[in-house]
Amino acid sequence: MQRYGGRRKGKRTSRTSESSGYPRPIDSEPASKELELPKTLTVKQLADQMNSDPIDVIKELIRNGVMANINQVIDFDTASTVATELGFTITAMADTEEAFAAYSQLDMADDDPSKQVARPPVVTIMGHVDHGKTTLLDAIRESKITEGEVGGITQHIGAYQIEYKGQKITFLDTPGHEAFTAMRARGAKATDIAVLVVAADDGVMPQTIEAMDHAIAAGVPIIVAINKMDMPDADPDRVKRQLVERGLVIEEWGGEVIAVQISAKTRQGIEELLENILVVAEVAELKADPDRPATGVIVEAQMDKSKGPLATVLVQTGTLRVGQTVVVGNSWGRIRALIGESGQRVTAADPSTPVEILGLGHLPQAGDSLWTVPNEKIAKDLIQERQRRLDTERQVLTTTTLEDASARISAGEITDLNLIVKTDLQGSIDAVRGTLEKLSTDIVKVNIIHSGTGTINESDVLLAGTSKAIIIGFNTRVEPGARRMADTDKIDIRVYDIIYRLAEDVQTALEGLLKPVQQEVVEGHTEVRAIFPIGRRIKIAGTYVTDGRISRNAIARVLRNGQLLHQGTISSLKHFKDDVREMATGFECGVAIDGFNDFQIGDVIETVRIE
Ligand code: GDP
């Protein structure tokens, strides 16, 4: 199923305005006498915008008591008075930075808490291939489709909503953790709850573990659905044991993870699963403000020959309405129509509702975010500003190598070294894990976010990218697709065949990380008892070392009555006439300090070194 994911090459809409660099919305309106004005502009600029003769504008200004020449700057109020009289309708142009500040923050965090109301949970189904994800999605949809839609259950878009006990639940119909992490890689967090499907007859398999680790890395709560309970060789206890071995302890065994035994085929346990989804959703207190401008995330997109780009969006906050201007990824458009999951036209979609939109200028990608904006101008500014920020971010992000991690930990930026470990055999996973985990210290923690057997695949690279992890392979190889992706995304993959070398590399990195923080250590104090001028400029302090020692290459501080007067390097240290490297307690020495000549008897010179 290649439904999920990227742009299809060569099928971009032809409705792109190449000259402006921006896509035009399909229904862009004919030029009207509307005028958007900035805070200030010159008389000439105003005339140009109105397609008028500057002389007419100047005349109109004079009529309004403003004497202005063609290059004079006028303010918004003045400009709009004149333009209104010349038959224009005026709107204020938002300042780019202001617009960006206002609209870049459009995420859930900005909801006014007092306006938030409960929203349905959004669920993704994950698990090993053939364990029953698709069958489960179908079973849930067919059994619990929203009231009034029974009979018309041909699903139209890549997500659906059901109603159970009067409460809605949204399911994303892009099963699998790759889709989930690919969306995360694009900055989208669409999923509230992950249902991990494990076939009771087959048990925990490599992709089960991948899915689990991907959900954990994203901080998404997991509900385990032990499927195929109708099979004669179903062994749910074995599944539970295998999960516990992987650190996922289910409730029944004292942990926190709910496990439900189901059969997607006979529909046994589906109600219990839904019940538990609602329980987990309630704990998560999922809320959004339906009254604010909508934001959402693209779940899937495809090009339709007659309708243009079609995108399924999951509304995350606010309410999306027909006619609104939206920014999606790097393009914008005006919503011509909204289509519900059964193909029906709708006028609005509130939080957690999946809906298909018509009217985008470009085909977006799954994981792109969607924002509603007040007008076309802001949409364009926003796209430009976002692109600029993305470019900068990308430069910062391209640093997931062991060396960079090392440098960043030593700079105190990170305290965890995230690793993904892939090995040839299950037995070697344990050996490698054990070796690596032992390298953790109080300061830096080796954090194995995922380990498994087999080749290093694209899913590993995706996870490494979103979790800033380094991939360590032992006696395994890198799949060509994964290698290409790692090269593009600058993900570090290190493959070893000797465990000692592997440990040594990580250890070295950690030692780099463990470079001690620089700190000052006081070496000693020496008291000024006499002052000897040398020539006109330089003075030497004749001192007596009262404690510790004074060394030639230390940093010296001159203290008077406990106050710091000067800090500098020692330019000369002598015992009588001899230059010395250091002087111990109870000895006399002559000290000269670079850039300081105002010694007084009784000053104390303190020496420190940096460790
Ligand atoms: P997916 O790859 O995880 O999406 O798995 P599918 O949903 O395509 O299911 C794989 C196979 O397992 C299909 O032949 C399904 O009919 C079968 N299957 C799924 N759920 C069950 C179940 O609960 N019991 C039995 N006996 N077979 C199931």
Side-chain angles (χ1 to χ4, degrees):
M1 183 170 64
Q2 191 44 45
R3 180 141 62 105
Y4 178 82
R7 265 170 223 277
R8 271 141 248 204
K9 283 198 182 94
K11 282 196 174 178
R12 285 199 187 169
T13 170
S14 55
R15 292 173 231 255
T16 303
S17 156
E18 296 302 339
S19 57
S20 71
Y22 295 108
R24 286 160 59 90
I26 285 169
D27 60 346
S28 75
E29 286 165 9
S32 71
K33 290 205 87 177
E34 277 178 17
L35 194 62
E36 224 180 30
L37 293 175
K39 282 178 187 155
T40 55
L41 77 173
T42 64
V43 171
K44 176 161 185 344
Q45 285 168 337
L46 178 62
D48 287 349
Q49 284 208 31
M50 296 188 297
N51 259 335
S52 320
D53 188 335
I55 303 296
D56 293 337
V57 177
I58 291 171
K59 279 187 196 157
E60 194 59 46
L61 280 166
I62 294 171
R63 234 168 267 146
N64 283 281
V66 180
M67 301 299 287
N69 67 39
I70 190 163
N71 292 318
Q72 198 146 335
V73 175
I74 53 174
D75 64 11
F76 174 85
D77 287 341
T78 310
S80 54
T81 308
V82 172
T84 309
E85 280 173 21
L86 294 173
F88 286 85
T89 327
I90 308 299
T91 46
M93 185 186 291
D95 180 63
T96 311
E97 267 300 314
E98 266 173 33
F100 187 78
Y103 289 95
S104 66
Q105 298 303 321
L106 284 181
D107 55 21
M108 251 74 85
D110 281 319
D111 274 7
D112 176 351
S114 67
K115 291 186 182 162
Q116 287 184 336
V117 296
R119 65 171 177 86
V122 179
V123 181
T124 297
I125 312 264
M126 302 181 183
H128 195 73
V129 65
D130 280 346
H131 278 199
K133 297 183 291 293
T134 314
T135 314
L136 177 60
L137 272 166
D138 290 346
I140 295 171
R141 179 173 51 227
E142 279 158 28
S143 62
K144 293 286 167 202
I145 201 83
T146 320
E147 289 298 312
E149 283 174 358
V150 188
I153 51 172
T154 37
Q155 192 191 341
H156 187 76
I157 59 177
Y160 66 81
Q161 216 171 39
I162 61 149
E163 216 169 279
Y164 178 70
K165 294 201 170 161
Q167 294 190 56
K168 287 178 176 167
I169 306 173
T170 304
F171 286 89
L172 294 185
D173 194 7
T174 47
H177 55 276
E178 287 89 354
F180 169 83
T181 300
M183 282 177 66
R184 247 187 94 211
R186 303 185 60 76
K189 186 177 182 283
T191 303
D192 300 310
I193 299 168
V195 170
L196 183 64
V197 176
V198 192
D201 54 346
D202 211 12
V204 168
M205 297 300 275
Q207 286 169 21
T208 315
I209 295 161
E210 273 187 23
M212 179 183 125
D213 289 342
H214 281 231
I216 291 171
V220 171
I222 295 173
I223 297 176
V224 177
I226 304 178
N227 191 30
K228 305 199 186 182
M229 284 301 293
D230 58 297
M231 296 292 276
D233 53 348
D235 187 354
D237 281 343
R238 182 175 63 132
V239 173
K240 291 173 195 169
R241 254 195 329 273
Q242 290 171 325
L243 289 173
V244 170
E245 280 164 18
R246 282 294 175 165
L248 203 68
V249 188
I250 58 155
E251 261 188 337
E252 194 185 319
W253 293 13
E256 294 192 337
V257 179
I258 296 168
V260 186
Q261 298 180 10
I262 63 162
S263 164
K265 195 173 173 185
T266 68
R267 314 234 162 134
Q268 169 206 338
I270 302 266
E271 300 246 323
E272 199 193 335
L273 176 63
L274 298 177
E275 190 81 52
N276 279 298
I277 288 174
L278 291 180
V279 169
V280 174
E282 200 181 325
V283 172
E285 290 186 32
L286 306 166
K287 288 181 173 173
D289 173 6
D291 291 331
R292 47 164 283 168
T295 71
V297 57
I298 303 297
V299 178
E300 62 167 23
Q302 60 206 27
M303 186 58 85
D304 184 280
K305 279 203 185 90
S306 53
K307 295 178 190 155
L310 295 181
T312 300
V313 63
L314 174 73
V315 177
Q316 294 190 292
T317 189
T319 299
L320 192 63
R321 295 174 204 281
V322 173
Q324 284 176 333
T325 303
V326 291
V327 168
V328 179
N330 274 341
S331 81
W332 69 281
R334 194 161 298 137
I335 299 180
R336 265 200 305 164
L338 290 174
I339 295 163
E341 63 192 64
S342 315
Q344 81 284 19
R345 289 208 169 213
V346 294
T347 51
D350 57 1
S352 295
T353 305
V355 69
E356 187 174 68
I357 48 180
L358 263 79
L360 294 182
H362 271 148
L363 185 66
Q365 274 186 282
D368 278 344
S369 52
L370 171 144
W371 295 330
T372 31
V373 292
N375 56 44
E376 188 182 317
K377 168 77 174 72
I378 292 180
K380 288 176 179 175
D381 287 347
L382 195 55
I383 290 166
Q384 214 168 35
E385 182 63 17
R386 251 174 83 189
Q387 190 55 48
R388 195 180 62 74
R389 290 183 193 213
L390 264 178
D391 291 345
T392 334
E393 263 171 37
R394 210 160 281 145
Q395 280 165 10
V396 178
L397 279 176
T398 52
T399 53
T400 320
T401 67
L402 201 54
E403 288 76 14
D404 293 321
S406 170
R408 294 181 62 193
I409 296 183
S410 74
E413 284 173 37
I414 44 173
T415 54
D416 281 23
L417 181 62
N418 286 347
L419 299 177
I420 291 172
V421 175
K422 288 304 271 287
T423 63
D424 52 345
L425 306 166
Q426 182 61 39
S428 36
I429 290 189
D430 299 337
V432 173
R433 274 194 89 102
T435 307
L436 288 173
E437 276 166 357
K438 261 189 245 140
L439 299 176
S440 285
T441 68
D442 292 345
I443 300 171
V444 191
K445 197 164 143 249
V446 173
N447 201 5
I448 300 176
I449 59 165
H450 171 60
S451 63
T453 51
T455 49
I456 294 166
N457 58 30
E458 293 184 8
S459 153
D460 296 325
V461 178
L462 267 176
L463 183 62
T466 49
S467 307
K468 310 251 182 325
I470 288 129
I471 303 174
I472 305 274
F474 180 68
N475 278 340
T476 184
R477 56 178 192 84
V478 187
E479 288 177 12
R483 168 61 67 199
R484 273 195 300 277
M485 205 167 146
D487 288 346
T488 315
D489 296 353
K490 305 238 174 17
I491 305 291
D492 198 6
I493 302 182
R494 295 175 172 234
V495 180
Y496 302 87
D497 49 12
I498 303 170
I499 203 158
Y500 164 74
R501 286 240 176 281
L502 185 164
E504 197 180 54
D505 256 21
V506 175
Q507 170 100 49
T508 313
L510 288 174
E511 273 165 7
L513 324 172
L514 290 176
K515 253 188 227 151
V517 185
Q518 290 202 334
Q519 63 177 35
E520 286 180 6
V521 177
V522 174
E523 276 192 324
H525 295 95
T526 190
E527 199 183 292
V528 179
R529 299 215 164 151
I531 294 148
F532 309 104
I534 303 233
R536 283 240 210 112
R537 298 249 174 95
I538 299 169
K539 286 198 179 99
I540 304 276
T543 69
Y544 177 81
V545 184
T546 52
D547 63 84
R549 62 198 165 84
I550 304 299
S551 53
R552 168 76 173 79
N553 51 17
I555 294 166
R557 286 185 182 141
V558 183
L559 309 174
R560 186 169 298 161
N561 303 321
Q563 302 279 322
L564 177 68
L565 276 192
H566 179 80
Q567 174 169 313
T569 51
I570 296 176
S571 54
S572 151
L573 184 68
K574 283 182 194 270
H575 183 55
F576 297 109
K577 291 211 156 106
D578 303 323
D579 285 315
V580 288
R581 300 235 317 259
E582 64 175 36
M583 218 59 236
T585 311
F587 286 89
E588 287 178 348
C589 57
V591 181
I593 294 175
D594 264 343
F596 188 79
N597 281 309
D598 305 325
F599 293 112
Q600 282 181 15
I601 293 179
D603 287 350
V604 171
I605 300 170
E606 179 183 73
T607 56
V608 290
R609 62 172 195 282
I610 305 295
E611 274 186 0

Coordinates of all heavy atoms in Angstrom, one line a residue, residues 526-532 539-544 558-561 565 596-605:
T526 N 50.6 34.3 49.0 CA 51.8 34.9 49.4 C 51.6 36.3 49.8 O 50.8 37.0 49.1 CB 52.9 34.6 48.3 OG1 54.2 35.0 48.9 CG2 52.6 35.4 47.1
E527 N 52.2 36.8 50.9 CA 51.8 38.1 51.4 C 52.9 39.1 51.0 O 54.1 38.8 51.1 CB 51.7 38.0 52.9 CG 51.0 39.1 53.5 CD 51.0 39.0 55.0 OE1 50.4 38.0 55.6 OE2 51.7 39.8 55.7
V528 N 52.5 40.3 50.6 CA 53.5 41.3 50.2 C 54.1 42.0 51.4 O 53.4 42.5 52.3 CB 52.8 42.4 49.3 CG1 53.8 43.5 48.8 CG2 52.2 41.7 48.0
R529 N 55.4 41.9 51.5 CA 56.1 42.5 52.7 C 57.0 43.6 52.3 O 57.5 44.4 53.2 CB 56.9 41.4 53.4 CG 55.9 40.2 53.9 CD 56.4 39.7 55.1 NE 55.3 38.9 55.7 CZ 55.5 37.8 56.5 NH1 56.7 37.4 56.8 NH2 54.5 37.2 57.0
A530 N 57.4 43.7 51.0 CA 58.2 44.8 50.6 C 57.9 45.1 49.1 O 57.4 44.2 48.4 CB 59.7 44.5 50.8
I531 N 58.3 46.3 48.7 CA 58.0 46.6 47.2 C 59.3 47.1 46.6 O 60.0 48.0 47.2 CB 56.9 47.6 47.1 CG1 55.6 47.0 47.6 CG2 56.7 48.1 45.6 CD1 54.6 47.9 48.1
F532 N 59.8 46.5 45.5 CA 61.0 46.9 44.9 C 60.7 47.4 43.5 O 60.3 46.7 42.6 CB 62.0 45.7 44.8 CG 62.2 45.0 46.1 CD1 61.6 43.8 46.3 CD2 63.0 45.6 47.1 CE1 61.8 43.1 47.5 CE2 63.2 44.9 48.3 CZ 62.6 43.7 48.5
K539 N 57.2 47.2 39.2 CA 57.4 47.0 40.6 C 57.3 45.5 40.9 O 56.5 44.7 40.4 CB 56.3 47.7 41.4 CG 56.6 49.2 41.4 CD 55.8 49.8 42.5 CE 56.0 51.3 42.6 NZ 54.9 52.1 41.9
I540 N 58.2 45.0 41.7 CA 58.3 43.7 42.2 C 57.8 43.6 43.6 O 58.2 44.5 44.4 CB 59.7 43.1 42.2 CG1 60.4 43.3 40.8 CG2 59.8 41.7 42.7 CD1 60.1 42.2 39.8
A541 N 57.0 42.7 43.9 CA 56.5 42.5 45.3 C 57.4 41.5 46.0 O 57.6 40.4 45.5 CB 55.1 42.0 45.3
G542 N 58.0 41.9 47.1 CA 58.8 41.0 47.9 C 57.8 40.3 48.9 O 57.1 41.0 49.6
T543 N 57.6 39.0 48.7 CA 56.5 38.3 49.4 C 57.0 37.1 50.3 O 58.1 36.6 50.1 CB 55.4 37.8 48.4 OG1 56.0 36.7 47.7 CG2 55.0 38.9 47.5
Y544 N 56.1 36.7 51.1 CA 56.3 35.5 52.0 C 55.1 34.5 51.8 O 54.0 34.9 52.0 CB 56.4 36.0 53.4 CG 56.6 34.8 54.4 CD1 57.9 34.3 54.6 CD2 55.5 34.3 55.1 CE1 58.0 33.2 55.5 CE2 55.7 33.3 56.0 CZ 56.9 32.7 56.2 OH 57.1 31.7 57.1
V558 N 45.5 39.7 42.9 CA 46.0 40.5 44.0 C 44.8 40.9 44.8 O 43.8 41.4 44.3 CB 46.6 41.8 43.4 CG1 47.1 42.7 44.5 CG2 47.7 41.5 42.4
L559 N 44.8 40.6 46.1 CA 43.7 40.8 47.0 C 44.2 41.9 48.0 O 45.3 41.8 48.6 CB 43.3 39.6 47.8 CG 43.0 38.3 46.9 CD1 42.8 37.1 47.8 CD2 41.8 38.5 46.0
R560 N 43.3 42.9 48.2 CA 43.6 43.9 49.3 C 42.4 43.9 50.2 O 41.3 44.1 49.7 CB 43.8 45.2 48.6 CG 44.3 46.3 49.6 CD 44.7 47.6 48.9 NE 45.9 47.3 48.1 CZ 46.3 48.1 47.1 NH1 45.6 49.2 46.8 NH2 47.3 47.8 46.4
N561 N 42.6 43.6 51.5 CA 41.5 43.5 52.4 C 40.4 42.6 51.9 O 39.2 42.8 52.1 CB 40.9 44.9 52.7 CG 41.9 45.9 53.2 OD1 42.8 45.5 54.0 ND2 41.9 47.1 52.8
L565 N 41.7 43.0 43.4 CA 42.1 44.3 42.8 C 42.5 44.0 41.3 O 42.3 44.8 40.4 CB 43.4 44.8 43.4 CG 43.3 45.7 44.6 CD1 44.7 46.3 44.9 CD2 42.3 46.8 44.4
F596 N 50.2 45.0 36.4 CA 49.9 45.5 37.7 C 51.1 45.9 38.5 O 52.1 45.2 38.6 CB 49.2 44.4 38.6 CG 48.7 44.9 39.9 CD1 47.5 45.6 39.9 CD2 49.4 44.7 41.0 CE1 47.0 46.1 41.1 CE2 48.9 45.2 42.2 CZ 47.7 45.9 42.3
N597 N 51.1 47.2 38.9 CA 52.3 47.8 39.6 C 52.0 48.5 40.9 O 52.8 49.1 41.5 CB 53.0 48.7 38.7 CG 53.8 48.0 37.6 OD1 54.6 47.2 38.0 ND2 53.6 48.3 36.4
D598 N 50.7 48.4 41.3 CA 50.3 49.2 42.5 C 50.3 48.4 43.8 O 49.4 48.5 44.6 CB 48.9 49.8 42.3 CG 48.9 50.6 41.0 OD1 49.9 51.2 40.7 OD2 47.9 50.6 40.3
F599 N 51.3 47.5 44.0 CA 51.3 46.7 45.2 C 51.4 47.6 46.4 O 52.0 48.7 46.4 CB 52.6 45.8 45.2 CG 52.5 44.7 44.2 CD1 53.4 44.8 43.1 CD2 51.6 43.7 44.3 CE1 53.4 43.8 42.2 CE2 51.6 42.7 43.3 CZ 52.4 42.7 42.3
Q600 N 50.8 47.2 47.5 CA 50.9 47.8 48.8 C 51.3 46.8 49.8 O 50.9 45.6 49.6 CB 49.6 48.5 49.3 CG 49.3 49.8 48.6 CD 48.0 50.4 49.1 OE1 47.5 50.0 50.1 NE2 47.5 51.4 48.4
I601 N 52.0 47.2 50.8 CA 52.4 46.2 51.8 C 51.1 45.7 52.5 O 50.2 46.4 52.7 CB 53.4 46.8 52.8 CG1 54.7 47.1 52.0 CG2 53.6 45.9 54.0 CD1 55.8 47.7 52.8
G602 N 51.1 44.4 52.6 CA 49.9 43.8 53.2 C 48.9 43.1 52.2 O 48.1 42.4 52.5
D603 N 49.2 43.5 50.9 CA 48.4 42.8 49.8 C 48.7 41.3 49.9 O 49.8 40.9 50.2 CB 48.7 43.3 48.4 CG 48.2 44.8 48.2 OD1 47.4 45.3 49.0 OD2 48.6 45.4 47.2
V604 N 47.7 40.6 49.5 CA 47.9 39.1 49.4 C 47.8 38.7 47.9 O 46.9 39.1 47.2 CB 46.9 38.3 50.2 CG1 46.9 36.8 50.0 CG2 47.1 38.6 51.7
I605 N 48.7 37.9 47.5 CA 48.6 37.4 46.1 C 48.2 35.9 46.2 O 48.8 35.1 46.9 CB 50.0 37.4 45.4 CG1 50.4 38.9 45.3 CG2 49.9 36.8 44.0 CD1 51.9 39.1 44.8

